[in-house]
Amino acid sequence: MTEFKFDPSTISVPAGKVVFYLVNAGNGTSHNLIIRDSGGKKIAGSELVSAGDQSVFTVDNIAAGTYTIFCDQPGHEASGMKGTLTVT
Ligand SMILES: [Cu+2]
């Protein structure tokens, strides 16, 4: 995570338990990773990760589908901090 993007921004995983290793490689801004389903509902979200820090974010059981990942800090998604999570 940096200002203002996820790299990679396109992620594919098998359904079930998913573990994300979040690294904030940005320049002083905290970020998180929120998962939103195709209906716009938030289904899971990480803690805020400070610049220079790392965090492990576990989702216990995610169903197959296409999801949006984004950072919910003000303005970050609009600045491009979003991506696609495909669960198969
Ligand atoms: Cu952010």
Side-chain angles (χ1 to χ4, degrees):
M1 305 186 286
T2 57
E3 290 80 47
F4 291 97
K5 65 175 184 174
F6 291 99
D7 181 14
S9 63
T10 301
I11 303 168
S12 296
V13 299
K17 182 178 180 178
V18 181
V19 180
F20 295 89
Y21 295 91
L22 304 177
V23 178
N24 185 339
N27 293 314
T29 304
S30 295
H31 299 294
N32 57 18
L33 189 158
I34 311 296
I35 302 172
R36 184 171 65 210
D37 70 15
S38 58
K41 181 184 176 190
K42 294 180 186 180
I43 63 158
S46 77
E47 63 182 1
L48 266 179
V49 184
S50 300
D53 281 352
Q54 304 181 19
S55 183
V56 177
F57 166 44
T58 301
V59 182
D60 286 333
N61 189 8
I62 190 164
T66 301
Y67 300 85
T68 297
I69 58 169
F70 67 104
C71 175
D72 76 354
Q73 296 303 287
H76 291 201
E77 181 182 6
S79 298
M81 200 160 186
K82 61 184 174 182
T84 303
L85 172 66
T86 303
V87 182
T88 54

